[in-house]
Amino acid sequence: MTLRDELIASATRLLDDGGPEKVTLREVGRLAGVSRTAPYRHFTSKSDLLATVAARELDRLVDGIAAPAEPPAALEVSLSAAMLRFLTWARNRPERFRLVFGHWAQENDALREAAARANRALVDLVAGSQGSGALPPGDPWNVAAVVRAFLHGAAALEQNGHLLGPDRVRLDAEELVGTFLSRASGGRTSVSARPAPTR
Amino acid sequence: MTLRDELIASATRLLDDGGPEKVTLREVGRLAGVSRTAPYRHFTSKSDLLATVAARELDRLVDGIAAPAEPPAALEVSLSAAMLRFLTWARNRPERFRLVFGHWAQENDALREAAARANRALVDLVAGSQGSGALPPGDPWNVAAVVRAFLHGAAALEQNGHLLGPDRVRLDAEELVGTFLSRASGGRTSVSARPAPTR
DNA sequence: ACCTGAACACCGTTCAAGT
DNA sequence: ACCTGAACACCGTTCAAGT
């Protein structure tokens, strides 16, 4: 394991522990057994280090979510399962979710590439679901963007406590997936499968 | 105008200019013609100051968006117009959008109250649209949460550059509203009204 | 009651210097 | 080629002291 990888691992641990502001280069270096300026030989800045963490996590996420089910499932079930898996990930790794899908002023090549790959995987799932009638027809990029927006918002609002029901009861993001999909399909299907837990 | 209001105005200006990290208490004080520790007589911390800015902006937003149209419009047009207005606000005031709907660890009373008010306004719009058939039936809190999640995600992903079409063309959040609403209503209506610009 | 100036404990980043 | 230690220019926050 190279020092670069060690630094990424340390940064990820600190991120999970207390968000980006807890990821100080001093502590990252200390955890890797190195000085506080050593990270600058491997990353141009703290922002660059975090972008690398984000890119790695997004790649991992796509691998975990887009993996074919065992045994192979119908495509609309795959879409629903993928959506639920995404929400589970966002809930279990809130800091990573916020980092990966947060605000990136100057973008990192690896992160942009990972985002494009994630998008393609979703478009494929959506197109498949349209073919089987679980989603209505229409430009798959547009429909995928609606799905993506819904998922992102559900995860973000749940974390921020903005997903309120009557009397400030917090709503469950997973429950919304059922509402979303049944409305989107015009009542043609109703899916309520629970996802296998992501690692 | 009290010093407290002056500090809020200064903080808002700095926020629009360069995000929360540009809102330094030193500069907030300087803009208000006061020392850098003076804000601590009016806010317990920088975070408390920002929460107050967020609460004010959210109140303003609800007033601007939930205002009855002139002349009065059908309810489903109101919902569509409100959604488009929200997206316009988020695009024109990206830092305020991120602040208001960002991560709030220790919540502020005023902000929580403003969020509840915004939620109620949306639930009313959704319930009205269900009554006129523009949205399918179902628990209005659930349907409103889906609408809210979609809107939040569309605004956030557009800002983050994650809303990609084929060949990395950036998709238009407003276009997605049409897709979202026509799918949600099961093709019963198709709305494409453009909103009046928010100030 | 409200404000100030100095001070404290942090940051990210740079750079000359070491091996 | 890679790492270090000191230094710089910032932060938020505290606190004794002023009016």
Side-chain angles (χ1 to χ4, degrees):
Chain A
M1 198 172 184
T2 142
L3 174 57
R4 185 186 152 90
D5 286 330
E6 209 112 43
L7 292 169
I8 294 174
S10 299
T12 305
R13 194 159 7 137
L14 289 168
L15 176 74
D16 286 338
D17 220 51
E21 72 275 18
K22 187 141 185 187
V23 183
T24 67
L25 295 187
R26 281 157 168 82
E27 190 64 12
V28 167
R30 207 187 58 78
L31 284 179
V34 96
S35 89
R36 51 178 161 290
T37 57
Y40 285 96
R41 305 310 132 195
H42 301 271
F43 305 94
T44 64
S45 65
K46 170 178 174 176
S47 169
D48 183 40
L49 170 58
L50 286 177
T52 306
V53 170
R56 289 223 173 169
E57 181 65 14
L58 186 49
D59 272 331
R60 232 181 50 97
L61 177 70
V62 175
D63 289 342
I65 283 185
E70 294 290 348
L75 274 166
E76 70 269 20
V77 175
S78 293
L79 176 64
S80 169
M83 292 175 74
L84 294 172
R85 254 200 252 255
F86 177 86
L87 291 175
T88 301
W89 167 75
R91 184 181 292 125
N92 290 345
R93 301 290 195 190
E95 296 294 348
R96 300 190 192 189
F97 165 74
R98 278 196 285 272
L99 179 71
V100 169
F101 294 102
H103 184 51
W104 290 105
Q106 86 292 17
E107 306 188 21
N108 173 293
D109 280 351
L111 181 55
R112 190 165 35 230
E113 176 49 45
R117 187 170 158 249
N119 207 19
R120 257 174 283 139
L122 177 61
V123 170
D124 286 348
L125 268 176
V126 164
S129 290
Q130 288 180 311
S132 72
L135 278 180
D139 177 6
W141 288 90
N142 248 317
V143 176
V146 170
V147 170
R148 175 192 279 270
F150 163 72
L151 278 179
H152 179 95
L157 291 174
E158 183 180 76
Q159 286 182 18
N160 300 344
H162 279 277
L163 217 55
L164 300 177
D167 297 322
R168 291 182 183 169
V169 177
R170 292 171 80 117
L171 294 177
D172 190 34
E174 270 88 358
E175 201 185 329
L176 298 188
V177 173
T179 303
F180 177 82
L181 282 180
S182 66
R183 294 307 177 272
S185 65
R188 261 164 291 190
T189 177
S190 87
V191 188
S192 62
R194 283 272 154 178
T198 55
R199 60 194 162 103
Chain B
M1 199 172 184
T2 142
L3 174 57
R4 185 186 152 90
D5 287 330
E6 210 112 43
L7 292 169
I8 294 175
S10 299
T12 305
R13 194 157 9 134
L14 290 168
L15 177 73
D16 286 337
D17 219 51
E21 72 275 18
K22 186 141 184 187
V23 183
T24 68
L25 294 187
R26 282 158 169 82
E27 189 65 12
V28 167
R30 208 187 58 77
L31 285 179
V34 96
S35 88
R36 51 179 162 288
T37 57
Y40 285 97
R41 304 311 131 194
H42 301 271
F43 305 95
T44 64
S45 65
K46 170 179 174 175
S47 168
D48 183 40
L49 170 57
L50 286 177
T52 306
V53 170
R56 288 224 174 169
E57 181 65 14
L58 186 50
D59 273 331
R60 233 181 49 96
L61 176 70
V62 175
D63 290 342
I65 283 185
E70 294 291 348
L75 275 166
E76 70 270 21
V77 176
S78 293
L79 175 64
S80 169
M83 292 174 75
L84 294 172
R85 253 199 253 257
F86 177 87
L87 291 176
T88 301
W89 166 76
R91 184 181 291 127
N92 290 344
R93 302 289 194 190
E95 295 295 349
R96 299 190 192 188
F97 165 75
R98 279 196 285 272
L99 179 71
V100 169
F101 294 102
H103 183 51
W104 289 106
Q106 87 292 18
E107 306 188 23
N108 173 292
D109 280 352
L111 182 54
R112 189 164 37 229
E113 176 50 46
R117 187 169 158 251
N119 206 20
R120 257 174 283 139
L122 177 61
V123 170
D124 286 348
L125 268 176
V126 164
S129 290
Q130 289 180 309
S132 71
L135 279 180
D139 178 5
W141 288 90
N142 249 315
V143 176
V146 170
V147 170
R148 176 191 278 271
F150 163 72
L151 278 179
H152 179 94
L157 292 175
E158 183 180 74
Q159 287 182 17
N160 300 344
H162 279 278
L163 218 55
L164 299 178
D167 298 322
R168 291 181 182 169
V169 177
R170 293 171 79 116
L171 294 178
D172 191 34
E174 271 87 359
E175 201 185 329
L176 298 187
V177 172
T179 304
F180 177 81
L181 282 180
S182 65
R183 294 307 177 272
S185 64
R188 261 164 292 189
T189 179
S190 87
V191 189
S192 64
R194 284 270 154 180
T198 55
R199 55 190 166 106

